[in-house]
Amino acid sequence: MTVSLATTMPLRGVRELPPNDQVQGFYLLTKIETRPKKSGEPFLIVELQDHSGKLDGKMWENFEAALETLKAGDPVFVDGRVDRYQNIPGLVLNALRKATEQEVPDRRSFLPHSSLSSAQADEQLAHLINTIEHPQLRALLDSIFGDKTLRKQFLEAPGGKAWHHAAVGGLAEHTLSMAALADLVAAHYPQLHRDLLLAGTLLHDLGKVVEFTLEPAIDYTSEGRLLGHITQGALLIDKMIRENCPDLSAEMRKQLLHIVLSHQGDPSKGSPIKPMTLEALALHYLDELDSRMSAFEQVRARTPESQDFSDYQRLMERFFYFRAPEGDDQPE
Amino acid sequence: MTVSLATTMPLRGVRELPPNDQVQGFYLLTKIETRPKKSGEPFLIVELQDHSGKLDGKMWENFEAALETLKAGDPVFVDGRVDRYQNIPGLVLNALRKATEQEVPDRRSFLPHSSLSSAQADEQLAHLINTIEHPQLRALLDSIFGDKTLRKQFLEAPGGKAWHHAAVGGLAEHTLSMAALADLVAAHYPQLHRDLLLAGTLLHDLGKVVEFTLEPAIDYTSEGRLLGHITQGALLIDKMIRENCPDLSAEMRKQLLHIVLSHQGDPSKGSPIKPMTLEALALHYLDELDSRMSAFEQVRARTPESQDFSDYQRLMERFFYFRAPEGDDQPE
Amino acid sequence: MTVSLATTMPLRGVRELPPNDQVQGFYLLTKIETRPKKSGEPFLIVELQDHSGKLDGKMWENFEAALETLKAGDPVFVDGRVDRYQNIPGLVLNALRKATEQEVPDRRSFLPHSSLSSAQADEQLAHLINTIEHPQLRALLDSIFGDKTLRKQFLEAPGGKAWHHAAVGGLAEHTLSMAALADLVAAHYPQLHRDLLLAGTLLHDLGKVVEFTLEPAIDYTSEGRLLGHITQGALLIDKMIRENCPDLSAEMRKQLLHIVLSHQGDPSKGSPIKPMTLEALALHYLDELDSRMSAFEQVRARTPESQDFSDYQRLMERFFYFRAPEGDDQPE
Amino acid sequence: MTVSLATTMPLRGVRELPPNDQVQGFYLLTKIETRPKKSGEPFLIVELQDHSGKLDGKMWENFEAALETLKAGDPVFVDGRVDRYQNIPGLVLNALRKATEQEVPDRRSFLPHSSLSSAQADEQLAHLINTIEHPQLRALLDSIFGDKTLRKQFLEAPGGKAWHHAAVGGLAEHTLSMAALADLVAAHYPQLHRDLLLAGTLLHDLGKVVEFTLEPAIDYTSEGRLLGHITQGALLIDKMIRENCPDLSAEMRKQLLHIVLSHQGDPSKGSPIKPMTLEALALHYLDELDSRMSAFEQVRARTPESQDFSDYQRLMERFFYFRAPEGDDQPE
Amino acid sequence: MTVSLATTMPLRGVRELPPNDQVQGFYLLTKIETRPKKSGEPFLIVELQDHSGKLDGKMWENFEAALETLKAGDPVFVDGRVDRYQNIPGLVLNALRKATEQEVPDRRSFLPHSSLSSAQADEQLAHLINTIEHPQLRALLDSIFGDKTLRKQFLEAPGGKAWHHAAVGGLAEHTLSMAALADLVAAHYPQLHRDLLLAGTLLHDLGKVVEFTLEPAIDYTSEGRLLGHITQGALLIDKMIRENCPDLSAEMRKQLLHIVLSHQGDPSKGSPIKPMTLEALALHYLDELDSRMSAFEQVRARTPESQDFSDYQRLMERFFYFRAPEGDDQPE
Amino acid sequence: MTVSLATTMPLRGVRELPPNDQVQGFYLLTKIETRPKKSGEPFLIVELQDHSGKLDGKMWENFEAALETLKAGDPVFVDGRVDRYQNIPGLVLNALRKATEQEVPDRRSFLPHSSLSSAQADEQLAHLINTIEHPQLRALLDSIFGDKTLRKQFLEAPGGKAWHHAAVGGLAEHTLSMAALADLVAAHYPQLHRDLLLAGTLLHDLGKVVEFTLEPAIDYTSEGRLLGHITQGALLIDKMIRENCPDLSAEMRKQLLHIVLSHQGDPSKGSPIKPMTLEALALHYLDELDSRMSAFEQVRARTPESQDFSDYQRLMERFFYFRAPEGDDQPE
């Protein structure tokens, strides 16, 4: 039997099915191990993942073949029924086997994806680069985003591991949203150097293409942890300037690198340098704004609709409040 | 002799005159006292102020009448010549007398003024209020800015004492710049409640009308120091809601006051509450952005053109860098 | 069968009963749901609460009627026996039904209560107000505490959710303890304005009447989270001054509101303004002292007698030590 | 000529005399040096001090004998007239000579003194010790304050160098004010061990007798800077327990030393340990309260009456506000 | 049957045995209690400890004699087989009885031990003291480490509870490693007073002999929590100076105590005083270096070899990275 | 007249000459301007600098030629006499003219210099590189320090602007002192990768060659302020690896760059990344140790011998204490 991935039930949906519903589909296997039953005999425990989340599964018998042939990271076909234990949903599996390359041509389909498609992002990026009039900045952007590998990495990379834009394509979504804002803001404050601000925006998080990996899930690379995307971005941009843009002035290089280094605003937030130019200051606040807007929506999406407040958000040391300002407005 | 205020030499200009140039004009007297000469006899020392800054003056003789009739806060007519002592410019006065009401009809002319005129601000404000569609928010804004006293205070109040928008009309300039941005941002993020964001922007710093005084200079009132503009704003808005807007829902009142209370972003910056709604978050970053853009330009204006960097800015714990990204670009 | 609430076994007591003891009584139902048994059939899980704490209960069969008629927040009658699972005490229920209004006339009886009764607090409050000689402050206190709704809210409100005075009546207990101290301290430092200090003490936490709800448990209201009790108190007091005390001088209003705004001592503790007057400084330290004395005793009460030290107290970043300074004093 | 110290004009008074008034009296010489006149010839500059403050003096001629015989730290007799230079008051000296032992029997008279006399402090101390009923704590206090040298040091030591109780006798004044408060507070919270709290209060700052010197002015000793009064106090008390109080239990010693070590409340304020017992917590807040009350009054005393606010107080990061809550109360 | 302790299987080893393996040996009993089976009848749960870690054990029947005769802290003989529940290894016991004094002559054998043996430490200590040439410092060290009780405590005490050198003998290991470094550093910077630096190093953590207990496990004593090892060390050294080293100069005492008080570098790290002398500064950084080197190795030892990074280390707010700088070096 | 620079009196020495002593010599002119005398006529004020410090000079007449021909940054010949005004030493000039290239062949002689000569540093550097056995690390060091320009910059660059090693050659002095320590420490902790630690030490501050300029004084370049030496170092090393060391493994590159990025230990100290490897941790503490040892000696050198304590050191928030531990040791 071949089930196309598109018709597979998302795991978020599976969580909400009533007990005993049947489920069939393709998922990523992220853990596989055995544990003893009360009787002492083993049973199989697996963790499954798709773009909508994760779920555990148990297989009580006939799992020997699966255990021998499967390992974490494999795409699998699953046939089971919904189960709840201590109110936590799971699956009891009847069948579990490795999926074929035809069935699952790309394992990245199991990761969360930005709502901005790669094609849309690609087009927006091309359009924005086209608006840059400063010849050397334009040449630098052309050289960086004209590198096919780099452009592909940029369009696929996540914006973060867990907090904001934590999805395939999240880096591009965040960058392009900020760039559209930067355009508006540069018109509002004419003293801003529009092309520098735009170029800085497009490049500020470039280091994330090497800070993160998508295999088998969104996570830091060891180079990402040891060097950080800010320095990685500066190294990459400096290399491209040296190799491809000999005409970019020392002053422009300095101010562009300064923007990249300072965009998180403060040493306590990971930037070795504070923003000291007008463009670096503006970019920092646009980055804050766009990342918080995204984080707020991500938290809202995983909060049950019945809650007015999110759970406590440790990273921002606060709750978020979701009630519409004009609702039925009953007295508390 | 009657000299119209408009033709008076600004004190910033006086500072740059060569020694021995003659100066005549109207200024605000902000200090007056005598000190002994080497010989033991007294001479007169005064401090003069206009919208462009301050300057000291000395009067070696014939100052008895001035000393008897003048006090700090008086507008005066001055006749003197430029002098430098230890490279600090000053005036040696030949004549010093109180100016008449005809000569100086309004002492606020001696304070720094926003480049946005009161009439322009008034018009922009009217236009922005007109765009608010939510009936109760519109009613609240009409009631607050329809109060003539309050509207006049709002148009005159400074945005701060020393850091950003520290000028007559600075509050309106800052508020209206932010409101224009808020309009753009609300279009960019459709999940924002545009009218709430706009109303919050127009009201977020309203308490500054009572936090500051313009007499005789921009300074905190004692109520401003003891209560702070955030609470003062909340008290004022809450009173207007109670008295004039009984139809504004409890939910909307709560979210509007929340925006006012949280707009500085963090307890360490003076906000008793952190932003927890989408609109409060967005407004906070727009406030940061607009106040930093203004502060940067104010610091640039008082830094000699020959300096690439500003003096150290204690409030932001950094230098500012002013060199254009594309200049003559000599090697360092 | 009708069992009066007074004779119901407190849940803290139930926790210590040996397994299989029978229990009957009235409690608040705070959660109700079903889970599957091993066999796949469901059983009922409930959470019960009274003034002494919480306990889980299970019902293996015949729970259909209960499940249909009951919801979280209902007062219930319970008949069961004590059970332990993994050393955690619980109840196995034989019967579970909604309690009648006669059986449970007031659900607040299920919350923890201050050891100071409402009647005692009421009397102490009346006495303290009587000692205020300053006519306008006296008038303000009369107007606030003479408002029957407000006085009732004040006598019932908790002092906090979890840390100190976290009980019905806790706000009054804390306020009155501080007021008695303030009286002593005002006599010790004659430079203190006694009536202002007393009035400030009685009003400093007034906003907690709207910051917290008692239904179905002590928790923040959404307005409490979004505005905070400090601003809520200032809004409430300012409204009462405006409506009822036109004779209170601007200076006194300013200093009284300053005390309310600054009583937590520092922005990092939630006060938008630091104490700048003698009375505001004194009140802040009395607030710290009284809240810590209460917190210490609350922690002591929930620490087993065999422990010399409490568990680690995250809020105060320390352990508490309970051993009497003069005990049997064995060598360690 | 012999002028008794008591009739000497205090330097604070001298500051306010009109120019050319004559002054005679005894002061402490704290600096003496020569500088060149315009002509190249030297003149003498001295700094004089008494309990009310400091003043500079100049001697234009005939100062050779003074220069040869005097050094900083000498008590001197001065004959001069008041002078002002750049609005700073000073003295022009006619005569300057060393004072005799008869004229100035005790140089400490030149330091600021607590308003509580040494005799009053001594009596209050004796009374308080008498109220201690716990035999071993009583024995310890008797041994420490019965040591004549230590008692004298305690009665003379300052409470600080500049901030609060910065005067001869300041330590005793602070300690005894806190002890009176501790007595009230122990009655208010019966769970406090009254004798431990009292003993802790009397001993908490004992180390200041070695942390500070009075010669020639209130300043840190090098041991004070390198060890700190908290450790110095603990060392002193531990030595007295070992040598004189073998019956004091290990538990009581531990809790008493804990109070001394933790009384500043937090590592960031200089206490190596945070208060963990009820008595240590209470004492900490009483210490905060009493030291702030004193600091406020000290700042008030040196602020001109015309100012509503003090100058900015760096140590407390705020202004103090002095206006009486009920004054003439004009609109701002 | 008598099994010598030396042949007992370490619990770390037991954890890795396959299910159903038999285990016999001597361990420390650290918890003992009963819980009900599903049937309602009780079974026995115990916690066992040795120098390599901890493990739980269950005994389903015939445990009545064990329950009556054993308590936490007893050394026991155990006979059981390995079991896994939810992937956590444990023991199912057949036999459990108290071990005799012959079988377990010293319960400290059940704690983790430094890799530096007590005899090696003793010898290194003797050697280092022998290199001290300053007669009074030498006398002080002889008096402290010549005290047999104190030397024994020093050789046994741990360096910490959980972070670094958390083992029997850890204090000596850390002290002697630092002393060897101090020797090298004193040669590198000739301006350092070598004997003072060495003596300070040997004594800096001396207070840990009373801060920690080894019974029944490494933990803080209540005196350790209430006074802290820094003050305890200062008290101990000061007592030894007073009693045994009357010739040590006041200056040297002051500087030595300063080193002890300041060695953690900053109030926020527990030192009431910051290092102000050259020796105190040097010692502080050597302490940081040696404790971090030890902590890194401890964390490495408990991290599975397959992980490149440690788990997040809260105390140092980072991950540790373990991969060798030159390995097989595959692309990431 | 030609005076060789070597015989010029150092300005530090000039400061201590008695008034009216004659001085001749070569200095750097760092400021030149005129001010009016009392009479209104101008006189000349200049600032002079050499390796020992700075001094002001005045020229009352005949300065017109000097004023026309000289500008800040010029080396000058000076003939004058010592003068004191308000106890501040200065020079009154008789002659002032530009020095010739023969007289002052190198203006860097006017800056403070490390006590380690450039030749000594060069030799030590060569020796240390020779000890590196790891072929790729050795190749990298050879490539960087074999670049003649870079080696010269490295040997001349300062270690800082004001705090530690603030002298020509200070970077090399600091680096080589740390490298000698690193060698000792690598032997003490065998788990350290000695060659990586050594290479990291030699390269950790390399970015300072572009962060600082020596013309006309030690100061930050604008690139230094905007990018910082940490990133500048990483960019430089990465470029050298790419261009010259293709065989250096990715793992080694990552760990080496990690050391450079993390060497200041913490974001709050300017490192974007915290040390996570053993070598990065060790290097950080050696850097702290060596820079503090240098700073202490620099502060000692500028503190008068009569002071036991330095002035307050804002950067380290403490005083330094200089008294020898064994001195005459009088009681305080």
Side-chain angles (χ1 to χ4, degrees), chain A residues 191-235:
Chain A
Q191 63 269 43
L192 283 165
H193 190 290
R194 191 252 179 209
D195 281 359
L196 175 56
L197 181 65
L198 260 283
T201 303
L202 292 173
L203 298 176
H204 80 288
D205 268 350
L206 185 65
K208 287 187 176 174
V209 305
V210 274
E211 188 184 29
F212 291 106
T213 179
L214 296 169
E215 302 284 349
I218 296 175
D219 207 347
Y220 290 90
T221 59
S222 71
E223 188 182 314
R225 275 233 185 98
L226 293 175
L227 305 187
H229 77 274
I230 286 189
T231 301
Q232 288 173 312
L235 292 174

Side-chain angles (χ1 to χ4, degrees), chain A residues 94-260:
Chain A
N94 299 322
L96 173 70
R97 64 163 173 82
K98 193 160 182 174
T100 63
E101 294 248 333
Q102 292 91 317
E103 286 169 337
V104 179
D106 183 1
R107 273 180 298 176
R108 297 201 180 172
S109 54
F110 296 126
L111 297 177
H113 278 67
S114 165
S115 60
L116 185 76
S117 77
S118 183
Q120 291 169 312
D122 193 62
E123 191 188 312
Q124 291 183 16
L125 177 61
H127 168 73
L128 278 158
I129 292 175
N130 255 329
T131 68
I132 304 283
E133 297 178 359
H134 188 278
Q136 288 81 28
L137 287 174
R138 173 68 188 268
L140 177 61
L141 293 171
D142 283 341
S143 122
I144 289 173
F145 292 108
D147 178 315
K148 279 193 185 157
T149 310
L150 209 43
R151 188 182 196 109
K152 184 161 178 296
Q153 287 176 316
F154 175 78
L155 293 172
E156 279 182 345
K161 180 176 174 187
W163 180 231
H164 73 93
H165 298 100
V168 176
L171 172 60
E173 181 190 349
H174 170 52
T175 299
L176 294 165
S177 172
M178 267 182 71
L181 278 175
D183 210 9
L184 300 172
V185 164
H188 186 74
Y189 297 109
Q191 63 269 43
L192 283 165
H193 190 290
R194 191 252 179 209
D195 281 359
L196 175 56
L197 181 65
L198 260 283
T201 303
L202 292 173
L203 298 176
H204 80 288
D205 268 350
L206 185 65
K208 287 187 176 174
V209 305
V210 274
E211 188 184 29
F212 291 106
T213 179
L214 296 169
E215 302 284 349
I218 296 175
D219 207 347
Y220 290 90
T221 59
S222 71
E223 188 182 314
R225 275 233 185 98
L226 293 175
L227 305 187
H229 77 274
I230 286 189
T231 301
Q232 288 173 312
L235 292 174
L236 200 45
I237 294 164
D238 193 48
K239 171 177 170 287
M240 294 307 263
I241 292 173
R242 226 169 31 237
E243 294 178 359
N244 303 315
C245 307
D247 294 340
L248 191 86
S249 74
E251 185 65 35
M252 190 60 91
R253 167 187 173 273
K254 191 168 65 184
Q255 294 204 26
L256 183 63
L257 289 174
H258 173 68
I259 287 177
V260 173

Side-chain angles (χ1 to χ4, degrees), chain B residues 104-174:
Chain B
V104 179
D106 182 2
R107 276 180 295 177
R108 297 199 180 175
S109 54
F110 296 126
L111 299 177
H113 279 65
S114 166
S115 60
L116 184 75
S117 77
S118 182
Q120 291 169 311
D122 193 62
E123 192 187 313
Q124 290 184 16
L125 177 62
H127 168 73
L128 278 158
I129 292 175
N130 256 328
T131 68
I132 303 284
E133 297 178 358
H134 187 277
Q136 288 81 28
L137 287 175
R138 173 68 189 269
L140 177 61
L141 292 171
D142 283 341
S143 121
I144 288 174
F145 292 109
D147 178 315
K148 280 192 185 157
T149 310
L150 210 42
R151 188 181 196 111
K152 186 160 177 296
Q153 287 175 316
F154 175 78
L155 293 172
E156 280 182 346
K161 181 177 174 185
W163 180 232
H164 73 94
H165 298 100
V168 176
L171 172 60
E173 182 189 349
H174 170 52

Side-chain angles (χ1 to χ4, degrees), chain C residues 134 176-178 180-181 184-185 188-189 191-193 196 249-252 254-255 265-266 274-279 281-282 285-286 288-290 292-293 296-297 300 309 316-321 323-327 329 332, chain D residues 134 176-178 180-181 184-185 188-189 191-193 196 249-252 254-255 265-266 274-279 281-282 285-286 288-290 292-293 296-297 300 309 316-321 323-327 329 332:
Chain C
H134 187 279
L176 295 165
S177 173
M178 267 182 70
L181 278 175
L184 300 171
V185 164
H188 186 74
Y189 297 110
Q191 63 268 42
L192 284 165
H193 190 290
L196 175 56
S249 72
E251 185 64 35
M252 189 60 93
K254 191 168 64 183
Q255 295 204 24
D266 200 85
K274 292 175 189 170
M276 295 185 231
T277 65
L278 200 64
E279 290 77 18
L281 280 162
Y285 294 110
L286 295 181
E288 296 277 276
L289 175 62
D290 193 66
R292 293 317 181 276
M293 294 292 106
F296 189 96
E297 294 305 327
R300 190 205 298 257
F309 284 94
M316 290 199 73
E317 297 182 315
R318 74 194 67 178
F319 298 88
F320 286 150
Y321 182 68
R323 206 161 163 184
E326 44 197 340
D329 213 346
E332 303 206 344
Chain D
H134 187 278
L176 295 165
S177 172
M178 267 181 70
L181 278 175
L184 300 171
V185 163
H188 186 75
Y189 297 109
Q191 64 268 42
L192 283 165
H193 190 289
L196 175 56
S249 74
E251 185 65 35
M252 189 60 92
K254 192 168 64 183
Q255 295 205 24
D266 201 86
K274 292 175 188 169
M276 295 185 230
T277 65
L278 199 64
E279 289 77 19
L281 280 162
Y285 293 111
L286 295 180
E288 297 276 277
L289 175 63
D290 194 65
R292 292 316 180 278
M293 294 291 107
F296 190 95
E297 294 304 327
R300 190 205 299 257
F309 284 94
M316 290 199 72
E317 297 182 314
R318 74 193 69 179
F319 298 88
F320 286 150
Y321 181 69
R323 205 160 164 185
E326 43 197 340
D329 213 346
E332 301 206 347

Side-chain angles (χ1 to χ4, degrees), chain F residues 43-299:
Chain F
F43 67 98
L44 190 75
I45 292 207
V46 299
E47 192 189 60
L48 303 169
Q49 177 192 300
D50 71 2
H51 69 275
S52 73
K54 295 187 170 187
L55 207 61
D56 283 338
K58 289 173 191 167
M59 197 163 180
W60 297 110
E61 43 198 35
N62 299 327
F63 51 76
E64 290 72 15
L67 186 58
E68 262 168 52
T69 54
L70 296 174
K71 61 177 194 306
D74 284 342
V76 291
F77 172 73
V78 156
D79 180 359
R81 76 178 159 76
V82 177
D83 180 56
R84 287 188 170 254
Y85 180 66
Q86 298 210 340
N87 214 23
I88 298 170
L91 285 172
V92 173
L93 306 181
N94 297 322
L96 174 68
R97 65 160 172 84
K98 194 160 184 174
T100 64
E101 295 248 333
Q102 293 90 315
E103 288 171 335
V104 178
D106 183 1
R107 275 180 296 177
R108 299 202 178 172
S109 57
F110 296 126
L111 298 177
H113 279 64
S114 165
S115 60
L116 185 76
S117 77
S118 181
Q120 291 170 311
D122 193 62
E123 191 187 315
Q124 290 184 18
L125 177 62
H127 168 72
L128 278 158
I129 292 174
N130 255 328
T131 68
I132 303 284
E133 297 178 358
H134 187 277
Q136 289 81 27
L137 287 175
R138 174 67 188 269
L140 176 62
L141 292 170
D142 283 341
S143 121
I144 289 173
F145 293 109
D147 176 315
K148 279 192 185 158
T149 310
L150 209 42
R151 188 183 196 107
K152 185 161 178 294
Q153 287 175 315
F154 174 78
L155 293 172
E156 279 182 347
K161 181 177 175 186
W163 180 230
H164 73 93
H165 298 98
V168 176
L171 171 61
E173 181 190 350
H174 170 52
T175 299
L176 295 165
S177 173
M178 267 181 70
L181 277 175
D183 210 9
L184 299 172
V185 164
H188 186 75
Y189 298 108
Q191 63 269 42
L192 283 165
H193 189 290
R194 192 254 179 208
D195 281 358
L196 175 55
L197 181 65
L198 261 283
T201 303
L202 292 172
L203 298 177
H204 80 289
D205 268 349
L206 185 64
K208 287 187 176 174
V209 304
V210 275
E211 188 185 30
F212 290 107
T213 179
L214 295 169
E215 302 286 349
I218 297 174
D219 207 347
Y220 289 90
T221 60
S222 71
E223 188 180 315
R225 276 233 184 99
L226 293 174
L227 304 188
H229 78 273
I230 286 189
T231 302
Q232 288 174 313
L235 292 174
L236 200 45
I237 294 164
D238 193 48
K239 170 176 171 287
M240 295 306 263
I241 292 173
R242 277 183 205 281
E243 294 178 359
N244 304 314
C245 307
D247 295 340
L248 192 86
S249 73
E251 185 66 33
M252 190 59 93
R253 167 186 173 275
K254 191 168 66 183
Q255 294 204 27
L256 183 62
L257 288 174
H258 173 68
I259 287 177
V260 173
L261 293 176
S262 70
H263 79 262
Q264 301 202 336
D266 200 87
S268 69
K269 293 176 186 158
S271 265
I273 293 282
K274 292 175 188 169
M276 296 185 230
T277 64
L278 200 64
E279 290 76 18
L281 280 162
L283 185 143
H284 166 62
Y285 293 111
L286 295 181
D287 191 16
E288 295 277 277
L289 175 62
D290 193 65
S291 54
R292 293 314 181 278
M293 293 293 107
S294 160
F296 190 95
E297 293 306 328
Q298 280 195 200
V299 174

